Amino acid sequence: MTSAVLVLAALLDYLIGDPWGWPHPVRVMGWVISLLSKLALKYCQNPFSQRLAGIIMGLTVIIGSGLVGWIIVEVAKWIHPFLGIAVQSILLASCFALKSLRNAAIEVLQPLEHGELEPARMILSNYVGRDTVNLSAAEIFRAVLETVTENATDGVMAPLFYTIIGAFIPVIGAVPLALVYKASSTLDSMVGYKEVPYTYIGWFSARWEDVLTWLPCRLTVITLSLLSLKPVNVWRICYRDAAKDPSPNSGWSECAYAAVLGVQMGGINWYRGVAQEKPLLGDAIYPITSDSIDKALQLTRYAFLLWLGLAVFFNFFVI
């Protein structure tokens, strides 16, 4: 049953992804986070109370997401085993963002490949925090690749990692752990900023997401280095460049892809009119093109399938 759920979830994500407008756990999490953060900012006026409110909000959303997921699965299994499989597969598929990541990249690249910079900039602004109004074609390519490679870890591989861990803990199960990670990731993306008004209220969410992502990020880097057939070179470049990034995870994720693809990411980005220089990751052997982005997406798919295959094999032949 465990293997069937994992395979069905991966298949649903590959075929359907996250259709716009459909009910989605992340949308519910986002609504709860938005409500709680507004209440916290309204009633907590000093750094200490905002940090405390941020911790309470984070734990509420994270534990609540896992608990609600567990209840839904148990009720579905109680009604009928097949319904339990279906519900688990659907919920897990909503935690994987492989198809959504590809669709987002294609949405930006299509007008760009026809020389239509303005539509590409506007679409890109939906997916990145940087200013996109004046980006050149090369900068758009870099922004898309950086987004694809950063989110490969926290949007694809890390949810799969916690899904697999949960699948082999019968008392908990795959869905609750996957939702716990997804809640943490959603908290980080919504309130995990150093800028006001989230400087203190988002501190716990940002740190906790860093902790949860640390191990799956390193395992992803190892997997990518093995898939490249040049593990020593990939690790040499990651060891040289990844630690320069202020994020303990995104720098490693982006740098691993840069090393495998032979491109360079990082440089100057603009945020609300203010320039920020990001560390350079990788060597600029080749320019970043749509082909680079497609290869990065393929690498993520191969890594995803490798982990999935190992989990199914382990379930069938070891346990």
Side-chain angles (χ1 to χ4, degrees), residues 19 33 35 68 71 86 89 107 167 208 221:
I33 294 166
L35 176 63
V68 169
I71 292 171
S89 300
E107 192 179 355
W208 186 240
V221 172

Side-chain angles (χ1 to χ4, degrees), residues 149 153 157 213-228 230-231 234-239 242 248-257 259-260 303 307:
T149 55
T153 294
M157 301 305 295
T213 307
W214 193 92
L215 180 57
C217 178
R218 271 63 186 177
L219 293 175
T220 300
V221 172
I222 292 172
T223 304
L224 293 172
S225 69
L226 294 174
L227 289 173
S228 74
K230 299 177 292 183
V234 171
W235 270 100
R236 177 184 63 81
I237 295 174
C238 286
Y239 183 79
N249 297 310
S250 62
W252 280 89
S253 182
E254 292 179 29
C255 193
Y257 282 92
V260 175
W307 286 17

Side-chain angles (χ1 to χ4, degrees), residues 298-314:
Q298 287 180 11
L299 279 168
T300 305
R301 181 183 293 116
Y302 296 153
F304 181 91
L305 291 174
L306 178 60
W307 286 17
L308 183 68
L310 288 173
V312 171
F313 175 84
F314 190 80

